[in-house]
Amino acid sequence: MAEETEKDYTWWIAGVAIAAVIVLVVLLKKDETKHLQSGAVEQLQTETFQNIEKRKTSNITGNVGN
């Protein structure tokens, strides 16, 4: 007589869960780095470096705080 074997889906379920986690991480990372593509970071860096240069020149001329 043929015995009916029960299928084991443990590895299939684990694989789907791992794939879902990977997809979720990729989607969240894409959303997290969206601000980098807008140019806001580059603008902030430019402003920061301009302020640093102003401070350097004010230290040389003696106009501290201007």
Side-chain angles (χ1 to χ4, degrees):
M1 283 201 216
E3 291 185 21
E4 192 172 323
T5 59
E6 185 176 326
K7 294 200 176 202
D8 187 16
Y9 291 108
T10 306
W11 288 111
W12 191 84
I13 292 170
V16 169
I18 291 170
V21 167
I22 290 172
V23 168
L24 184 64
V25 167
V26 168
L27 290 175
L28 289 174
K29 271 300 207 190
K30 186 183 292 186
D31 187 50
E32 181 180 307
T33 58
K34 192 180 294 184
H35 69 281
L36 296 175
Q37 299 170 354
S38 69
V41 173
E42 185 177 337
Q43 181 183 1
L44 182 62
Q45 283 180 338
T46 303
E47 291 175 9
T48 303
F49 288 127
Q50 287 174 349
N51 288 337
I52 290 172
E53 287 301 318
K54 285 180 187 177
R55 287 183 185 168
K56 284 182 182 178
T57 57
S58 70
N59 287 339
I60 292 171
T61 61
N63 296 331
V64 178
N66 293 335

